[in-house]
Amino acid sequence: AVAARVAAARDLALFRGVPCYSNAGASFLLQMGEPDRAPAFLPRVLALHVVDEPNETGVYIKRHRIPIEACAVAGERDEIHTKLSAEGIRIGAFGELQRPPLHVAHGGRPRFAEFIRTEPVP
């Protein structure tokens, strides 16, 4: 069932012309994020949003009201570390976010409750 949902998300991304990468069995999907669309919230599906400045991230997050628990940052970007730390966002290296240390709270947020709204998203 999960592979069918991942395959459907992959096929939709390809139909819309969104760059993406998946294997033949649709066991995962990595796609470029679309600024006008909220994340898919599917297991094994990751949308990658590339930004150059910290403020670019805030636009997407505010538009879709997404709570961010952690963020991977490449290289030494003090301005990004400062901005994310001030927001209470855990910073890690690529490949390490899925293995936070045991002393980290791991977010502690409900997975979908924050995304259920009664008003439309602008």
Side-chain angles (χ1 to χ4, degrees), residues 54-107:
N55 294 338
E56 293 176 47
T57 303
V59 171
Y60 182 82
I61 292 169
K62 286 178 184 173
R63 178 174 189 181
H64 298 291
R65 291 183 266 177
I66 300 172
I68 302 296
E69 297 177 18
C71 185
V73 178
E76 296 296 322
R77 300 285 303 266
D78 291 337
E79 72 280 7
I80 294 175
H81 284 267
T82 300
K83 174 76 172 166
L84 295 176
S85 295
E87 298 288 330
I89 297 171
R90 182 171 56 86
I91 303 166
F94 284 95
E96 295 298 320
L97 293 179
Q98 59 273 49
R99 290 186 297 275
L102 292 176
H103 68 277
V104 174
H106 297 260

